[in-house]
């Protein structure tokens, strides 16, 4: 319905922002992460939005990037997770961290979100793990553009990309090399599968 709102930030709370667009103030539900990343009051901002329509309310949910909006949309397709639950998850994990948590089966990190229990986190992982790809992440975009750390070296492209992604996530070079080299059957795997397997060994 509304692709984005662009205007002046009038107010910011932990879960809500008011954006003045041509003299009309839009209440937009936001995550704590988005609240922290918004510019100050009186400055211009653009939020990509999802419109939730219910019998008793129409609510806008806003995100700083299409990347954030995309993972939010995926989350709300999971049974038992509505817009409020998805926003709660994105308040404790940014979009890329959530993707990697799903890829690695890290339910513990997802349950840090208020109102999200172990069963819900496991269902989220189960239903989305095949829909999340390394290509979706900002880290992969950095690798493709040559901005990622390239201190680690590997003998195959899929190993190299997986190691660079791990280093970009904050793991040390030695940890990345050890995790990737401990994976069996790596020759038949693509970089996304290698990264998933390496992340599982990290937890």
């Amino acid at each position: 319905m509304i692709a984005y709102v662009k205007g002046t930030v009038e107010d910011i709370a932990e879960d809500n922002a008011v954006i003045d667009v041509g003299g009309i103030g839009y209440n937009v539900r936001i995550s704590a992460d988005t609240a922290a990343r918004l510019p100050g009051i009186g400055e211009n901002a653009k939020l990509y939005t999802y419109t939730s329509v219910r019998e008793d309310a129409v609510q806008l949910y806003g995100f700083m990037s299409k990347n954030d909006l995309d993972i939010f949309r995926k989350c709300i397709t999971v049974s038992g997770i509505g817009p409020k639950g998805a926003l709660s998850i994105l308040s404790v994990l940014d979009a890329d961290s959530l993707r990697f948590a799903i890829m690695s089966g890290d339910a513990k990190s997802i349950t840090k979100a208020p109102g999200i229990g172990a069963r819900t986190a496991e269902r989220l992982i189960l239903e989305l793990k095949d829909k999340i790809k390394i290509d979706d992440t900002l880290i992969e975009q950095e690798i493709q553009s040559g901005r990622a750390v390239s201190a680690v070296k590997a003998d195959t492209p899929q190993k190299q990309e997986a190691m660079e992604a791990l280093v970009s996530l904050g793991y040390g070079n030695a940890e990345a090399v050890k995790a990737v080299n401990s994976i069996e059957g790596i020759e038949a795997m693509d970089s996304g599968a290698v990264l998933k397997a390496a992340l599982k060994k990290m937890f």
Side-chain angles (χ1 to χ4, degrees):
M1 184 180 291
I2 300 175
Y4 63 83
V5 293
K6 183 178 181 181
T8 305
V9 179
E10 290 294 319
D11 189 35
I12 304 173
E14 184 176 344
D15 61 353
N16 191 82
V18 178
I19 308 296
D20 184 318
V21 182
I24 299 175
Y26 288 87
N27 273 310
V28 185
R29 294 293 307 277
I30 58 174
S31 68
D33 178 68
T34 297
R37 291 160 57 194
L38 273 173
I41 292 174
E43 298 185 38
N44 290 329
K46 180 178 181 179
L47 291 175
Y48 294 92
T49 56
Y50 171 83
T51 306
S52 173
V53 180
R54 302 185 311 181
E55 291 183 3
D56 58 343
V58 176
Q59 182 67 63
L60 283 178
Y61 291 81
F63 307 89
M64 294 294 290
S65 69
K66 291 181 179 179
N67 184 45
D68 296 339
L69 176 58
D70 176 69
I71 193 64
F72 173 85
R73 287 181 178 275
K74 283 184 170 68
C75 285
I76 62 176
T77 65
V78 176
S79 176
I81 299 180
K84 183 178 179 180
L87 210 62
S88 177
I89 295 170
L90 288 169
S91 288
V92 299
L93 294 170
D94 63 29
D96 283 345
S97 295
L98 177 55
R99 283 194 175 96
F100 280 105
I102 293 169
M103 290 170 67
S104 63
D106 181 15
K108 185 176 180 180
S109 291
I110 299 172
T111 58
K112 292 178 181 178
I116 303 298
R119 288 185 179 180
T120 302
E122 289 167 2
R123 187 185 309 119
L124 178 75
I125 291 169
L126 179 65
E127 294 190 22
L128 295 186
K129 65 180 180 179
D130 292 332
K131 300 178 182 178
I132 301 296
K133 300 179 180 178
I134 185 175
D135 304 61
D136 295 331
T137 66
L138 291 177
I139 290 172
E140 174 65 5
Q141 292 172 23
E142 290 177 350
I143 291 172
Q144 294 297 335
S145 65
R147 293 196 299 271
V149 177
S150 58
V152 290
K153 299 297 180 183
D155 55 2
T156 66
Q158 66 264 41
K159 282 186 180 182
Q160 184 70 35
E161 290 187 9
M163 288 178 183
E164 289 179 347
L166 289 169
V167 172
S168 295
L169 280 172
Y171 293 106
N173 291 348
E175 288 181 296
V177 172
K178 182 179 179 181
V180 170
N181 285 336
S182 66
I183 298 169
E184 296 181 2
I186 201 169
E187 295 78 10
M189 302 163 69
D190 60 21
S191 58
V194 174
L195 180 58
K196 287 181 184 180
L199 283 167
K200 287 181 180 179
K201 291 182 178 295
M202 294 292 192
F203 294 102

